[in-house]
Structure formats: structure tokens, C-alpha cells
Amino acid sequence: MRRQMLGASQLFRLPGSWAGSTRWMTMTAAVPSTLEEQLANAPWLQLLQVPSAGRGLFAATDIEQGMLLIEEAPLLAAPSPHAMDCTCHHCLRPLASSSGSTSGSKGTSSLRFCSPSCGAAARQAWAVAAERCSFGALQQACRERAEKFPLMAAQLACIQVQRHLGLGSSSSSSNSSGANPLAAATAAVAEAEGPAMGDPVTQLRHLCFANMPDVPQPWTELHQLLLQGLRPLSAGFKPGGDVSSSSSSSGSGSESVSPEWLEQQFGIEWYCDTLARLHLNSFRVDTMPVHLDPSDPSALLKAAMAHLSDAGSASHRTGSAAYLLASMLNHSCEPCLDVTFPGNNAVASFSAARDIARGEELTICYLDGGQGLAARQAALSWGYGFTCRCPRCVEEGGAEAGSSHQ
């Protein structure tokens, strides 16, 4: 992708054993891993530099059509602002109107989960802090402005606060020793090895980002609403030896952070840096509404019609998710990979749409590939800052140029 990259100078392919096949698991069974670890477990992939496009994934061997190449749980995932009440806030699985567990009693947040295991995984990672926050105004503003990334930024902030205070874990010792609480959290609820996932706190910063010379005014306004939603985390703060946090003698759950710490950690620079990466690396997750049968061949068409219709758009179960390894995939208007969500949640699968030759770049389509050339080029230029020169665009551009000279 034509976008500014961080740490893209090194070319590497890590060895690993061929896994043979991968089976879908839930997000609660995701295995935290680094980019290097994911590549080591997928020897059919190479991460290489692409001239003027940063990094890209390539086929390290001949690949047959239909082969599952990547299965990954997200770094971050958040429901669409219009689907907060009908989507699991952890895995993005759609909820039946009468199902789904609502989180606790603390704070003003209303978190919904599809299962006890999803609720437990969320509480281990971010939901304990989120329950104490008040993001209602931010959620309403996102609904009115059709914004989604501020909600993902809010989740990231809760992850950071929860790790800082040692919330959600059996003890705070892992936090002080430098261990990854998210890894311990997912291991605690996982019954079997599942898809890999990155760590948003340490690894989101390694993804490409959009250059923003000036802070857009809407970002400033939504950032203030995010800070407002985080302020309950400083309630009852009593300055002591640690200027960033304090706790009372009443036990777990009473930990607080100072208002100054919140401002320092989640200032406008942090917010812009986070959104600049989410804008370029997030996927739209379209799940199947629970009343549709996935085995029905017409179900996907019905879901698409519900998504496109004005009446159905607000209730369609959608969300956004950012991934670590999948963020290395560049765009083509004629991609060689299909992207699906077979578990009807945010675990993404990337399979070969056709036979792929060794050395060929692996690509996905960032937009609706059914659009015409001009519409695709305009959307890619506006959303991602590059002009697509994939074979399809070159061919269609040549055909248009030829017809204009006739």
C-alpha cells in the first residue's frame, strides 16, 4: 500500500514448520503473538519490501486455490456505533434480541457479550476499566457523525489503563514483572490453540499510518469526549508515592489513576497517532444476522441487501477490527485472496481465491471491487492516499484511453 511505514527497512522470512491446516476457533482461544511469531508459523508467507508501497506479503511457495493462508484474531475490535446493543463487544458476533449478557453494575457503560467466555476474556483485557468509564456521549457523537475509530481508541485506552492498574488479573505481579496480561488472560479462558492475535499496546505502533499535518477539528472534539469518558477512572484518586495511581484499603476495584496521568497518556498526540493507524489498517467486519441461516445460499445476499438498505443499515451487525499480520496485505482491484469471517465474529480468514505462484504478492481489495475505474481510483486516493496501478486498473485505463481516441 502506498503509505508511510515504520520499521520497514528489514526484509525477512522466518522459518517454521508447515502447519498443514488451521481450524477456526473463537476469539477467546486466540494466541497472543508477535509478527515474527506469526510468520514463523506460516512458512508459506514472506514479508518483503515493496517499492513505493512499504511492506507486503508474498507467496513463499506455490499455493493452490482455496488454501487458508491466514487466520487471525484482531488487535482491536469494536461494534459499529449503530450496533452497540446487538453485537458482542468483544468478538463482534451478532446477538439475538433476547440473548447476550450485559456487564456489571459499576459505572455507566453497558457492555454486551455473546457468551460467558467472551465476557471473561473481555474483563481480563479491557472491560473492567470500561465498566467504570462513561462513553455514552462519545458513542452518541460517533452515531451522529458516522465515526467508528474513536470507539476502538477508547477500547485501547481501557486496555492500557487496565494493565497499568493490574485490573482483571488474579494479581498485579504480572503487570510489574513486565509480563503480558493479555496473554495470561486469553490463556486462562482458552481450551485449545486458536488463531493468532497481536498485542495492541505494543504492536499497533508498528503499523503504517496516515500523515496528518494538522489535527482535524472533528478529531479534537471526539478526543475531548473520549477524555470525558475516561475521567471516572480518576474518581477517588488520592495522591501518594505513585503520582499516576492510588488504591484504597477496600480492595480490588478501588484503584484509580490521576487526572494528570490520563491527560498525559491519552493526549491529542496519542489520539491522532492511534486514529491515523486505525484509518489505514482496519477492516469492516460484516457478520450474518442471527435470523439468517448460514447454510442458506441466499443468506449472504439477504445480509448484503440489509446492509445496503437504509432501513437495515442501523440494525445490521457490523463492526471494525484491526489485525497485525493481515495489515501487511496490500491492495489490488483484482485480489488473489478472499477475506471471510467464517465464525460469524471478528476472527478473519484469508484464503487463496485462485492458484498463486511462488513469489507473487498476496493482495486483498480495500473497497467494493464492483465499482468502475474512476470510482475505485477516487476512493483509494481519498481513503488511502495512492493511485492503484494493479493489472485491472492498467487494463481498464488503457481501454478507456483507447475508446476516447476513437
Side-chain angles (χ1 to χ4, degrees):
M1 181 180 294
R2 285 71 177 169
R3 52 194 186 182
Q4 184 167 349
M5 306 297 301
L6 286 182
S9 60
Q10 182 181 11
L11 306 183
F12 63 95
R13 172 178 178 263
L14 298 180
S17 58
W18 192 292
S21 63
T22 307
R23 60 193 180 93
W24 170 82
M25 294 294 291
T26 65
M27 273 184 60
T28 57
V31 180
S33 62
T34 65
L35 182 61
E36 291 82 359
E37 289 169 341
Q38 291 196 47
L39 287 167
N41 290 323
W44 49 88
L45 301 178
Q46 287 181 301
L47 180 62
L48 303 174
Q49 274 188 328
V50 181
S52 74
R55 295 169 288 188
L57 288 176
F58 290 75
T61 186
D62 292 337
I63 294 171
E64 294 183 356
Q65 180 178 358
M67 177 180 173
L68 177 62
L69 303 183
I70 301 172
E71 184 181 52
E72 189 174 14
L75 291 160
L76 290 170
S80 158
H82 291 287
M84 302 294 291
D85 295 331
C86 56
T87 305
C88 177
H89 288 207
H90 185 65
C91 77
L92 304 188
R93 187 188 303 276
L95 303 174
S97 57
S98 59
S99 68
S101 58
T102 302
S103 79
S105 41
K106 290 185 180 179
T108 57
S109 296
S110 180
L111 305 179
R112 293 176 64 81
F113 305 108
C114 62
S115 65
S117 58
C118 251
R123 287 183 61 83
Q124 290 278 10
W126 57 271
V128 173
E131 288 170 353
R132 294 169 55 183
C133 295
S134 181
F135 291 129
L138 177 65
Q139 293 170 358
Q140 181 61 32
C142 286
R143 281 191 289 270
E144 294 172 353
R145 305 183 188 193
E147 293 281 355
K148 50 196 174 184
F149 302 126
L151 301 180
M152 298 175 72
Q155 186 187 95
L156 177 61
C158 288
I159 292 173
Q160 293 183 230
V161 170
Q162 191 152 317
R163 292 190 188 183
H164 177 72
L165 294 177
L167 302 175
S169 56
S170 57
S171 68
S172 60
S173 59
S174 61
N175 190 52
S176 60
S177 65
N180 183 349
L182 186 58
T186 52
V189 296
E191 295 180 355
E193 184 176 352
M197 64 179 292
D199 176 9
V201 174
T202 61
Q203 294 164 6
L204 184 66
R205 71 188 71 170
H206 298 306
L207 304 187
C208 58
F209 60 93
N211 284 314
M212 303 296 297
D214 299 307
V215 180
Q217 182 60 31
W219 286 24
T220 302
E221 296 168 357
L222 291 170
H223 171 248
Q224 288 301 313
L225 292 178
L226 187 149
L227 282 179
Q228 176 183 313
L230 291 171
R231 286 193 184 111
L233 292 167
S234 64
F237 176 78
K238 298 178 181 179
D242 186 345
V243 297
S244 66
S245 61
S246 69
S247 60
S248 70
S249 58
S250 59
S252 178
S254 60
E255 297 87 349
S256 300
V257 293
S258 71
E260 294 76 17
W261 186 85
L262 287 175
E263 293 278 354
Q264 179 183 18
Q265 294 293 315
F266 308 115
I268 188 64
E269 183 177 350
W270 169 88
Y271 182 78
C272 290
D273 182 80
T274 299
L275 259 64
R277 297 174 199 281
L278 293 176
H279 267 277
L280 289 189
N281 295 286
S282 293
F283 289 68
R284 189 182 74 191
V285 179
D286 288 333
T287 55
M288 188 80 67
V290 293
H291 66 277
L292 296 179
D293 180 5
S295 63
D296 180 358
S298 64
L300 286 175
L301 177 60
K302 294 176 182 177
M305 293 176 63
H307 175 72
L308 293 173
S309 69
D310 291 336
S313 59
S315 60
H316 187 61
R317 279 68 170 174
T318 60
S320 298
Y323 304 85
L324 180 59
L325 182 58
S327 71
M328 303 295 119
L329 293 165
N330 286 321
H331 166 83
S332 172
C333 296
E334 200 168 34
C336 60
L337 298 186
D338 289 327
V339 186
T340 59
F341 302 93
N344 212 29
N345 59 16
V347 176
S349 294
F350 300 81
S351 303
R354 54 172 173 77
D355 290 344
I356 302 171
R358 178 179 181 179
E360 183 177 348
E361 184 173 10
L362 304 175
T363 57
I364 57 175
C365 189
Y366 292 174
L367 39 69
D368 177 7
Q371 300 178 90
L373 174 63
R376 297 198 312 272
Q377 294 285 12
L380 291 168
S381 177
W382 182 86
Y384 297 93
F386 70 88
T387 299
C388 183
R389 295 183 178 86
C390 71
R392 178 185 172 190
C393 286
V394 171
E395 180 180 354
E396 292 181 3
E400 290 186 1
S403 62
S404 66
H405 290 114
Q406 292 179 356

